Amino acid sequence: MMSKPNAIALLKNDHATVKKLFEQEEKLGKKAGDKKADLFNQIKAALEMHATIEEEIFYPAVKKARSEQVKDEVREGYEEHKQIKSLLAQISSITPADETYDMKVKVLKEDVEHHVKDEEGEMFPDAKKFLGEGRLVELGAQLEARKQQLEKSSASKPATTPDAHAAKVRG
């Protein structure tokens, strides 16, 4: 890799990955229960990791900007994450055979799309303006490192029970 990715490029890349997963999920018919569940688990893992690195590293950095508007964008980001996490938990507790499953996934996809639009249309340009390229590259390195850490820890431990997991998400 030639240049180090800045935080925004990295987060946009995450957005694109999740978008592709949703598109694959949508193409699956009613009969593809196992495949649907598998794709949902990939979507869930990607969204949870993305939310974690944003909330731990990116949002706090952006919130330091001396702009009320930017602070509001960050607050909204946190709220949208809460909503998305709540839907992830609901979908996790049912199977693709559940009659509400496809609808819940559809709402999740719409929430994520809305959130991405807010971030890419408002928060990211403001972050660029207030933080500058140097800081964004620093943050990009931090996000990347944290992501690798999370990937390692999720690969090394057995699947968590929903309770342990819910506690972690809330924590």
Side-chain angles (χ1 to χ4, degrees), residues 22-162:
F22 273 119
E23 284 166 0
Q24 290 171 0
E25 202 281 339
E26 263 184 326
K27 286 192 188 103
L28 295 172
K30 290 262 183 242
K31 302 240 187 318
D34 289 348
K35 277 211 180 85
K36 270 183 185 280
D38 183 48
L39 268 170
F40 170 71
N41 286 329
Q42 288 178 51
I43 290 169
K44 182 169 183 267
L47 287 173
E48 282 172 349
M49 182 178 301
H50 181 74
T52 301
I53 64 173
E54 277 190 335
E55 289 175 11
E56 288 180 1
I57 298 163
F58 189 69
Y59 284 3
V62 175
K63 211 171 171 181
K64 288 197 173 90
R66 288 187 189 84
S67 148
E68 212 34 59
Q69 180 192 334
V70 175
K71 289 191 174 90
D72 278 344
E73 287 164 6
V74 173
R75 285 183 203 115
E76 186 180 353
Y78 280 115
E79 287 308 313
E80 288 174 350
H81 280 183
K82 264 189 212 147
Q83 208 171 317
I84 287 166
K85 286 175 189 170
S86 160
L87 267 169
L88 287 171
Q90 289 173 43
I91 300 166
S92 295
S93 69
I94 58 178
T95 68
D98 188 294
E99 59 172 22
T100 65
Y101 185 90
D102 286 331
M103 267 303 119
K104 282 190 166 77
V105 171
K106 186 174 188 282
V107 171
L108 174 68
K109 178 176 182 265
E110 286 164 3
D111 278 1
V112 169
E113 282 169 354
H114 171 85
H115 179 63
V116 165
K117 209 174 108 197
D118 280 351
E119 281 191 345
E120 295 189 359
E122 296 164 19
M123 190 193 294
F124 291 178
D126 284 341
K128 208 175 217 155
K129 188 167 89 183
F130 287 103
L131 297 173
E133 188 58 34
R135 181 75 180 114
L136 286 173
V137 170
E138 263 171 40
L139 287 169
Q142 287 176 25
L143 291 168
E144 190 56 65
R146 182 67 178 119
K147 216 173 161 174
Q148 283 167 1
Q149 216 178 6
L150 289 164
E151 273 163 4
K152 254 208 263 351
S153 73
S154 73
S156 66
K157 64 169 185 277
T160 50
T161 59

Side-chain angles (χ1 to χ4, degrees), residues 4-15:
K4 291 192 164 92
N6 74 30
I8 290 172
L10 199 131
L11 295 171
K12 279 186 169 174
N13 193 30
D14 279 359
H15 290 165

